[in-house]
Amino acid sequence: MHILLVEDETDLRVLAASGLQRRGFVVDAVATLAAAHDCLEVARFDAAIVDRRLPDGEGLTLLPALARRGVPALVATAYGDVEDRIAGLDAGADDYVVKPYDLDEVAARLRALLRRPGQRHSPVLTHGVLRLETGSGQAWLSDEPLDLGRREFALLRLLLEAMPGVVIRDVVQDRLYTLDEAVSPNALEAIVSRLRKRLAPGGFLIENRRGIGWRMVVGSEP
Ligand code: CA
């Protein structure tokens, strides 16, 4: 799950970004509205966390740009500031979080946002013997837990959601990496190949569409 965090207090931003990464999110963290707009131009995000008082303006002014792209938003408000919260929700935010961030709570609110009716993703995805729980980040093959890294899980989710379609390489890169991370083609291939090994016992194959991306299919009976 790729998150855009817009927060100008450096300590908070760094702490929140690393804490959310540890909880399985891919996080791009920026300090200004301008930088946030730049990020939205070049990557796809699943959700955003937006502070209100930013150096170049009011965080709520970012909400229309997020809404146009179908990116749900959490507005960050100061502790106990009810008016802040109301203004955020009135301006179209989907939910709010209170600063200083309690990262377990923020993570839970992000997961809740992404499983609301009308959102693209359902909490549990299944195909045959493969089962993936988006909330907990756990997957099972024939009821055996799959030991997947964060990026392998994210890739599996993309492939499963796209079945029988192809997942474009750029989309994979956007979902699995922050904008600051340099991604070599080999790094993506390595993730695909690890995931392939894990899924092989269930008869799932990941086909490489050279130059385009990958698709997952169920192989014929052995
Ligand atoms: Ca601020």
Side-chain angles (χ1 to χ4, degrees), residues 7-9 51-55 99:
E7 168 62 66
D8 61 316
E9 286 168 59
D51 183 31
R52 287 198 55 190
R53 291 164 194 86
L54 296 164
K99 296 209 293 184

